[in-house]
Amino acid sequence: MDEQQIRQALQAVIHPKLKKSLIDIGMIRNISIHDDVVTLNLALKSKRSPLKNVFIRQIEKALVGLPGISAVQVDVIALCHEEFHQLFPRAPLKGVEKVKQFLAVASGKGGVGKTTIAVNVALALAQQGYLVGLLDADVYGPSLPVMMGISEALEMKDNMIIPKEKHGLRVMSLGMTTGRNEAFIWRGPLVSKMIHQLLDQVAWGELDYLVIDLPPGTGDPSIAIANALPHCSILMVTTPQEVALADVRRAIELFRKTGQPFVGLVENMSYFLCEHSAKPIEIFGHGGGEQLSKETGFPLLGTLPIDLELQQSGDSGIPLLVSSEGSASVDVFQKIAKRIADQTQ
Ligand SMILES: Nc1ncnc2c1ncn2[C@@H]1O[C@H](COP(=O)(O)OP(=O)(O)OP(=O)(O)O)[C@@H](O)[C@H]1O
Ligand SMILES: [Mg+2]
């Protein structure tokens, strides 16, 4: 018996879902024959796949008893991520089928202003004439309902969740389904299921941009968004201090690994405009965003001041881009939105 004959005999082992033989789709590989024993690899989603024993029995049935073959040694290996998704492509996410661009706002650490920036950049894009949605992917501590001033419960239609229209945006947050101030403790697989639902079962409709507010760091929600939306652009938020940069670099590394495009950086809380001083005061140091931009090649799209009005607008539920006609921060948000639109449209 040679390898060709073994491959021929293995045509009988069919994947029940794909209706193709395991040998043709590359799930059986590295066949070798020593004396009367065939050794091969069986590549499955995981080594604990429930189909493992079924396949091993079928492989044995197909080979043992062939002239000169008395035993088969099957080593189960795991398919890599890309191989798995090539074999089992995901169903398209229904809710976002008509969304043109995805933009996730990320950072290395908490409290640097991601949600504030996601909200106001989304509003600035809407003011420039784009159709914009805003998704709270911070499943651990959703803060969009407070910042957007949304307290109404969500409605469903035809088994889909209808996002809330507010300040000209379509908004969805898990904080709108379970009440405020609730601490969410989700485990990995559950998080990726929730994120999948937020994209699949929310009727986002036609949108130019879906802006996604991520939790800090490199946790499960960020990974779930990256896996579900391979083309989602990343807007990284940092603060000027050197110590913040190490965390941002780690987050950048994650999104580089998943292959996301980066739209640029925003440095928040960069300086304080004081009425008693002609020059901006750099309370948290200087140049973190610029340095990161040089290091990574990502453009620094804007630097935002420490702004009491911005902070208060976040608590009041009426975002700055809605309440204020003009200020240094409003100008920066509008410029950031313009530069994002220039890059992505
Ligand atoms: N430029 C700024 N000037 C003044 N206050 C700001 C500024 N940016 C953000 N804040 C305030 O800092 C706090 C944290 O901001 P925000 O919630 O947007 O950060 P975050 O990165 O989303 O936090 P988390 O990691 O918890 O999600 C808020 O009270 C917000 O109003
Ligand atoms: Mg936040």
Side-chain angles (χ1 to χ4, degrees), residues 84-245:
F84 178 73
H85 287 298
Q86 228 166 14
L87 282 172
F88 303 93
R90 287 190 213 105
L93 296 159
K94 283 190 303 293
V96 294
E97 269 176 342
K98 292 186 189 146
V99 177
K100 292 193 190 119
Q101 300 276 350
F102 298 90
L103 176 73
V105 182
S107 77
K109 52 180 207 141
V112 297
K114 287 174 299 300
T115 307
T116 306
I117 289 168
V119 165
N120 287 290
V121 165
L123 286 163
L125 284 166
Q127 286 173 6
Q128 289 171 24
Y130 296 106
L131 282 172
V132 186
L134 187 53
L135 166 62
D136 191 348
D138 192 344
V139 294
Y140 303 117
S143 49
L144 271 192
V146 172
M147 280 208 195
M148 290 294 287
I150 297 173
S151 51
E152 306 93 320
L154 286 158
E155 286 157 38
M156 303 271 298
K157 197 181 165 204
D158 302 333
N159 262 342
M160 298 286 277
I161 297 164
I162 311 297
K164 280 276 159 223
E165 294 272 348
K166 189 84 186 201
H167 306 308
L169 304 177
R170 276 173 226 159
V171 188
M172 172 65 201
S173 166
L174 287 178
M176 286 147 67
T177 60
T178 50
R180 303 275 177 81
N181 301 324
E182 193 164 327
F184 290 86
I185 302 165
W186 303 96
R187 285 171 298 110
L190 202 54
V191 168
S192 89
K193 216 169 149 202
M194 288 309 308
I195 296 284
H196 186 271
Q197 275 188 346
L198 289 168
L199 299 166
D200 188 53
Q201 282 160 37
V202 176
W204 290 105
E206 214 157 297
L207 289 179
D208 295 306
Y209 290 98
L210 180 61
V211 177
I212 302 170
D213 180 29
L214 291 178
T218 53
D220 296 320
S222 301
I223 295 169
I225 287 284
N227 287 338
L229 303 171
H231 304 297
C232 178
S233 307
I234 307 293
L235 177 67
M236 285 303 301
V237 179
T238 184
T239 49
Q241 309 95 307
E242 172 58 36
V243 284
L245 296 184

Side-chain angles (χ1 to χ4, degrees), residues 13 18 28 41 50 71 77 84 89 144 209 244 287:
V13 186
L18 301 174
I28 294 179
N41 285 156
I77 58 171
F84 178 73
L144 271 192
Y209 290 98

Side-chain angles (χ1 to χ4, degrees), residues 13 22 40 42 44 51-62 72-76:
V13 186
L22 297 195
L40 54 81
L42 171 63
L44 301 174
L51 284 171
K52 180 175 98 173
N53 291 331
V54 176
F55 287 147
I56 292 177
R57 271 199 302 276
Q58 289 182 8
I59 291 167
E60 285 170 348
K61 195 169 155 224
V72 187
Q73 192 193 325
V74 178
D75 292 318
V76 177

